[in-house]
Amino acid sequence: MSIARKGRVEGKTALITGAAGGLGQAMAWMLAREGAKVAVTDMDLAGAEALAAAINAEIAGSAFAFAQDVTDEGQWASVVEAAVQAMGGLSILINNAGIGGQFVWAEQDSLENWRTVQAVNIESIMLGCKYALPHLRASGAGSIVNISSVAGLAAAPGMGAYNATKAAVWMYTKTVALECAKAEWNVRANSVHPVFIKTPILDPFIAMAGGDEDRAHERLARGIPLKRIGEPDDVAYCVLYLASDESKFVTGSEFKIDGGMLAQ
């Protein structure tokens, strides 16, 4: 007699920002294949819709797409409500949307660049938590996963705005985790800190290598003990763990997906 395998997030409902490509896309596939319904949002609505259609072709009725500018508070309110209606609730929030901003030293940085990176990388996470929390509480076992970076734990020249926002994500996540624990809401919050992953965020490095992707990846891997850069699924598997009840006693923690880089 065969026993049907139960997915690791069976019956859960997740909202994933910045999901039209890269890490967000990998997370959406991972969670859907493990039993969750997923609401994928992005400024690129066509990309989000294509992803939802592909997921639904494999797992019918499990994915929903929404256009979203994560810096717009009004859109956060409307998208969360629409996602809840579509999926029948919300138990997982994955704040994945982010940008690198300009590579520029402090005395050449512009206030416009600084504010743009702040709005996308940290203000959006505050807004996401604000509007998702009532629904995560109602789910009975909610999980917030905020995507930060190793750049939030170790600084690098020319990345001031990015470093500052990713460090803010790290600390803000801890604050939310403690607030939820103190209020006894059974909602957990954790941050994930990847190093270089094969996604479009590496395009500037590839451009600096004259468009040679392999050369760029080789250069980036030199500072990583495992001597390679990561794959999107390396991050998605960590997110899957944090989204699942397997991590029910894990909150306020940071998870480094860095090939040993910060252990040096």
Side-chain angles (χ1 to χ4, degrees):
M1 176 181 175
S2 63
I3 299 175
R5 175 183 175 274
K6 185 177 180 181
R8 293 170 64 186
V9 284
E10 194 76 33
K12 293 187 179 295
T13 50
L15 189 155
I16 309 167
T17 65
L23 294 181
Q25 185 176 94
M27 295 168 194
W29 274 110
M30 185 79 68
L31 293 178
R33 285 170 171 161
E34 288 292 339
K37 290 182 178 180
V38 294
V40 294
T41 84
D42 205 289
M43 290 185 71
D44 175 10
L45 178 58
E49 288 177 335
L51 172 61
I55 292 173
N56 286 329
E58 180 179 313
I59 314 159
S62 61
F64 309 86
F66 301 94
Q68 185 182 17
D69 175 353
V70 294
T71 68
D72 186 314
E73 183 170 5
Q75 287 189 32
W76 262 112
S78 61
V79 166
V80 167
E81 290 302 323
V84 168
Q85 289 298 314
M87 297 188 294
L90 182 64
S91 54
I92 302 161
L93 171 66
I94 302 173
N95 280 310
N96 168 68
I99 58 172
Q102 297 175 5
F103 288 84
V104 59
W105 285 36
E107 64 177 320
Q108 280 85 40
D109 204 354
S110 67
L111 188 57
E112 179 184 10
N113 176 62
W114 179 268
R115 287 176 172 169
T116 298
V117 178
Q118 295 284 327
V120 177
N121 287 1
I122 181 60
E123 291 177 11
S124 69
I125 287 181
M126 180 277 288
L127 291 171
C129 292
K130 174 180 178 177
Y131 286 99
L133 268 168
H135 302 286
L136 298 174
R137 290 160 53 191
S139 76
S143 177
I144 297 169
V145 183
N146 293 329
I147 306 304
S148 180
S149 168
V150 293
L153 302 172
M159 298 176 61
Y162 188 74
N163 284 138
T165 56
K166 291 304 184 177
V169 172
W170 172 47
M171 195 53 59
Y172 182 72
T173 302
K174 292 179 179 293
T175 299
V176 172
L178 291 174
E179 289 178 356
C180 292
K182 187 175 181 64
E184 299 183 356
W185 287 342
N186 198 24
V187 176
R188 299 174 294 103
N190 295 283
S191 58
V192 175
H193 301 255
V195 72
F196 307 118
I197 307 294
K198 293 178 183 177
T199 69
I201 203 167
L202 297 187
D203 287 351
F205 296 100
I206 296 171
M208 286 188 286
D212 188 330
E213 184 176 285
D214 290 339
R215 183 182 176 197
H217 290 178
E218 181 183 353
R219 285 180 175 178
L220 293 173
R222 288 173 187 168
I224 300 174
L226 290 182
K227 299 303 178 186
R228 61 180 184 272
I229 63 174
E231 302 284 348
D233 275 356
D234 294 327
V235 180
Y237 274 115
C238 180
V239 170
L240 173 62
Y241 166 69
L242 293 172
S244 77
D245 292 336
E246 296 164 13
S247 57
K248 62 185 175 60
F249 197 54
V250 178
T251 195
S253 295
E254 59 282 336
F255 289 76
K256 307 177 192 73
I257 315 295
D258 68 350
M261 185 177 182
L262 294 186
Q264 300 178 99

